[in-house]
Amino acid sequence: MVIRTLLLLALLFSASVPAASQLSAAVDKNPALLNEPITLEISLDAKVDAAAIDFNVLKSDFTVMMPSVSQSIRNINGNTSQSTLWKVVLVAKAAGDYTIPSFSYQNLTTEPINLTILAADSQENSSNTENKELFLQSEIEQSQLYVQQLSYYTLTIYSKEEFQNASLTEPTLEGAIIQKVGQDVEGTELINGIRYRTFSRRYAITPQQSGHFSIAPPVFSGEMIDRASRQYGYYSRTKRVLEQAQTIAIEVQPIPDSFPSQTANWLVAGLVTLTEEWSPNVTELTVGEPITRTITLSAVDVAENQLPELTLSFPNSLRLYQEQPQAKSAERNGHIIAQKVFTTAVIATESGKVSLPEVSLPWWNSKTNQLESAVLPAKTFIVSPAANSQSTNSIPAASQDNIASTTLPITSTKQSAGVNNWAWTYSTSVILLIWVVTLLLFYIMWQYRAPTTSAQPKITVAKFNSHALKTACQNNEPEVAKKELLRWGYRYFNQQFTSLSQLTEQLTSAALIAEINQLNAALYANNVSTWQGQGLWQQWQLFKPNMTKIAKSADLAPLYPNDI
């Protein structure tokens, strides 16, 4: 009875809900100061999907935080109304006049909003910063870099009060690889007689192309105690705070002409070394006995994927078994140290003297801005003959004797068989007849065999769950997000993907590809704690309608087969 009543009420409400008729947009302040958060609200008098409004058009001029969406249903005297409200916090990237464009839903459109961002005086701004309850500062070790040169970017949060429910976005730089370095450092600092709590986070930024760029700073959002509310009671209220650091401009130079880029891969680092080990550690080789050569390439302020391959030469008198090079990296005292190990098993095949040539790797010193080379000197070994070389050479002779002796009885057998030709011909004919009959029976059975279906290996893939992907993005869980994206790719492209790079080759949305590449970079750098999944979820939602159409079209069977 209760269920029937609820269903009846639901039908009544759904029947009386009007269609969307009004879409409006507004900001909470205009004009606003630079680095001051602005809240944009968009309201629709209907209950629609959260992804119905796309805020990506604002990203060229503003830092766009994750939108919040609320929906409501009201029924007054039998008249039911619904509404959807989007709230998104914007921070302008520079002072000036902007226009927030119109947003559309079906045939409804908002009015564009002209917004003015005022630049505060630098001196005044500095004094205001020092008196703020919360502010951020960013700095980079080197603002003039070479392409693929790693530099360290440090962000520090200064706070007078405790904060909670805090989140911090990542710095962004077009076409650059950014990864977090080490753990956050917490401390205190006195500024104009005021003690601030400080939280510092360090990033490694590696630009991949030359030119002039700006590093978009991280944005901090959280809640702090509202001091003004304490006068009204014992318990203080909290207020929402949002701050961002200053933008930093950098200049990225191309590979210098003096670097031998035609013969060597470009490598720029603070220090590069080559070391060599032999196991066992001997000065004389023996024919047939293996020895392992291990060369370790180490570089400071370089990511492990930037380490080049080594060109190793060996004389023809050595037999080689080379393993796949192994690369790894670690953080030491705030710097990234990468290593690549080349292992080769060497076996001498001739006695005498064997010489290994010098190994040289040119690299660019980022400290001195000069060309240098890491060198392994040439090495010469004396190769001794194998201790059992004589006995080994005698084995083939003995074998030949044995073979010769065993062929004698066979020869005599053939001679004796040739005495009774009639018996041999009769038995051979019988065997040949049986063989022909067997082939005939096998052919008849093959013609009338039951149709069988070949067993195809069935690929079992877990079902894609969009809610799991959303939760992973909201909780910044890159491993789970990767699994769900691969399952989604299998579901909609009907293709098994083993990596996110393969999946991006099937996508057409540049924004979604960029978000997936950031996810892949975080997983590849083993730095999953810095990944923020909000952008990936937004771009995936925007791309989802197109993929739904593709999936549906792929699932439908043709109405008229081609062979009719």
Side-chain angles (χ1 to χ4, degrees), residues 142-187:
Q142 295 173 283
S143 58
Q144 292 187 345
L145 309 169
Y146 286 102
V147 63
Q148 295 184 357
Q149 178 182 348
L150 185 148
S151 186
Y152 297 100
Y153 175 95
T154 303
L155 173 77
T156 304
I157 303 173
Y158 295 85
S159 173
K160 289 182 181 178
E161 303 287 348
E162 296 282 348
F163 49 77
Q164 57 188 2
N165 299 326
S167 66
L168 182 67
T169 63
E170 301 294 321
T172 57
L173 176 63
E174 180 183 359
I177 298 175
I178 301 177
Q179 64 181 103
K180 182 184 172 187
V181 180
Q183 301 296 324
D184 296 344
V185 178
E186 184 175 355

Side-chain angles (χ1 to χ4, degrees), residues 531-548:
W531 179 71
Q532 301 291 324
Q534 298 172 352
L536 175 61
W537 174 246
Q538 288 181 352
Q539 296 303 327
W540 182 86
Q541 281 190 309
L542 297 175
F543 189 70
K544 181 179 63 174
N546 298 328
M547 292 311 306
T548 304

Side-chain angles (χ1 to χ4, degrees), residues 491-492 545-558:
R491 169 66 180 84
Y492 289 105
N546 298 328
M547 292 311 306
T548 304
K549 295 177 181 178
I550 295 174
K552 288 182 177 179
S553 61
D555 292 340
L556 291 175

